[in-house]
Amino acid sequence: MAEDKTIKGLGAPPKTHDGSAFRIAIVHARWNDEVIKALVHGAVDKLKSLGVKEENIVIKSVPGSYELPFACKKLIEGGKAQATKAEPSLISTTNLMSLVDDERAATPTGDKKAAVATREFDAVIAIGVLIKGSTMHFEYICDATTHGLMRVQLDTGTPVVFGVLTALTDDQALERAGIGRKGTKGHNHGEDWGLAAVELAAEATQWG
Ligand code: DLZ
């Protein structure tokens, strides 16, 4: 093996999953926005390539990563509550590309109303980008966010994919979003998170 070749990374899934029946939420922070946008794009592209329908991908944003656990929990609970109602209803979804391309700031008025299946989420992807500064803020937010997201998935029984980059430098974050500026562009980890969401949605229901 060449010396600069790494052994790290996600192995191929045991089988390819069809995402066409799944409803997936993406909740993302807005801190470090350039990287966030690329990661959300990567996740959405992968979900769609696995068959998840655009109308079944719901995207919401929160200010920072610290807010991700709370937002994920509310979305999951909201989805479960809607699922218990007999009649399909109108729920608020955000147009995917306009969200990633900057209209999202206009929420809630910028949200589009769309008729979607009234049922719970099969998986949630939480996306955040934490970049270390000169104080201890980074460590505390990383710790709280990580534990909070784990708690949400264990408490709710809905898979929550950990799409949070904890980078020591800007370059580390950019490279993990496929937009690296130094030499290699890097791999967009958002794609891995999309894949993980569909795999968990497909497999986890059969393990219980
Ligand atoms: C305050 C803060 C700092 C310093 N850094 C980041 C960061 O790198 N990434 C991120 O997602 N959020 C950061 N935040 C914001 C917090 O996550 C949170 O939004 C605020 O503390 C308000 O609760």
Side-chain angles (χ1 to χ4, degrees), residues 3 14 16 24 37 40 78 84 115 120 132 155 169-170 178 180 190 193 201:
E3 246 177 53
T16 305
I24 310 279
K37 280 180 188 167
V40 173
T84 62
E120 62 186 277
K132 187 163 172 55
D155 286 356
T169 64
D170 290 6
W193 304 333

Side-chain angles (χ1 to χ4, degrees), residues 18-24 44 46-58 96 116-117 119 198:
D18 172 14
S20 60
F22 298 137
R23 186 166 183 241
I24 310 279
V44 168
K46 178 59 82 175
L47 290 175
K48 285 163 70 174
S49 78
L50 294 169
V52 182
K53 299 187 181 81
E54 190 159 314
E55 64 267 28
N56 284 331
I57 304 173
V58 173
L96 297 182
V116 299
R119 57 183 187 78
V198 171

Side-chain angles (χ1 to χ4, degrees), residues 29 31-32 63-67 128-132 137-138 141:
W31 264 75
N32 309 314
S65 295
Y66 189 78
E67 282 72 53
V129 176
L130 287 147
I131 302 177
K132 187 163 172 55
H137 227 111
F138 172 81
I141 300 174

Side-chain angles (χ1 to χ4, degrees), residues 135-168:
T135 70
M136 289 292 289
H137 227 111
F138 172 81
E139 282 79 1
Y140 285 110
I141 300 174
C142 285
D143 191 56
T145 305
T146 307
H147 287 104
L149 291 173
M150 177 57 81
R151 204 176 112 193
V152 171
Q153 68 172 343
L154 295 180
D155 286 356
T156 62
T158 298
V160 177
V161 174
F162 184 67
V164 181
L165 296 182
T166 55
L168 299 177

Side-chain angles (χ1 to χ4, degrees), residues 69-118:
F70 175 77
C72 288
K73 186 157 193 277
K74 292 302 260 186
L75 262 182
I76 291 168
E77 288 173 348
K80 287 184 195 291
Q82 283 177 351
T84 62
K85 291 180 192 158
E87 289 295 313
S89 64
L90 288 177
I91 72 155
S92 174
T93 73
T94 307
N95 175 277
L96 297 182
M97 288 312 128
S98 71
L99 176 137
V100 180
D101 294 335
D102 252 340
E103 280 178 31
R104 65 188 177 195
T107 56
T109 49
D111 275 3
K112 293 194 173 171
K113 294 277 185 187
V116 299
T118 304

